[in-house]
Amino acid sequence: MTSTLDLIREKLAVLEPEHISLEDDSAAHAGHAGAREGGHYQLTIVSAAFTGLNRVARHRLVYQTLGELMQTRIHALAIQALSPDEL
């Protein structure tokens, strides 16, 4: 079975990221009510796809790109989405 981290990276590849940092924080949330339905992750992603988009639009793009993973294997996702000129 492919790990959730690998699936997230695969899905986000369509955004052609210049940088991705992805951490699994699920162990820190053990016992949390939603922890059984999916994991907790922190994502930092740099992509030209975010140029000209506000923070909400960037998050929506990430959620849309991840699709069904947001309903199944991801319970919580902290996102820092940047365009290359914001580094």
Side-chain angles (χ1 to χ4, degrees):
M1 179 181 220
T2 305
S3 77
T4 301
L5 290 174
D6 288 339
L7 289 172
I8 293 170
R9 285 187 186 96
E10 286 174 20
K11 293 259 188 191
L12 293 176
V14 300
L15 299 177
E16 299 179 357
E18 293 182 14
H19 170 78
I20 267 189
S21 172
L22 185 59
E23 296 180 31
D24 184 346
D25 290 336
S26 300
H29 297 275
H32 176 265
R36 289 183 306 270
E37 287 93 35
H40 291 70
Y41 303 92
Q42 287 188 33
L43 170 68
T44 300
I45 182 170
V46 179
S47 172
F50 301 127
T51 302
L53 300 179
N54 66 30
R55 184 177 177 182
V56 172
R58 292 173 184 199
H59 286 212
R60 284 183 181 151
L61 180 57
V62 170
Y63 295 143
Q64 179 183 29
T65 302
L66 292 174
E68 84 285 347
L69 290 178
M70 291 302 302
Q71 272 72 63
T72 57
R73 297 179 74 164
I74 300 171
H75 174 71
L77 181 64
I79 302 169
Q80 182 177 20
L82 305 168
S83 64
D85 61 323
E86 294 175 311
L87 291 177

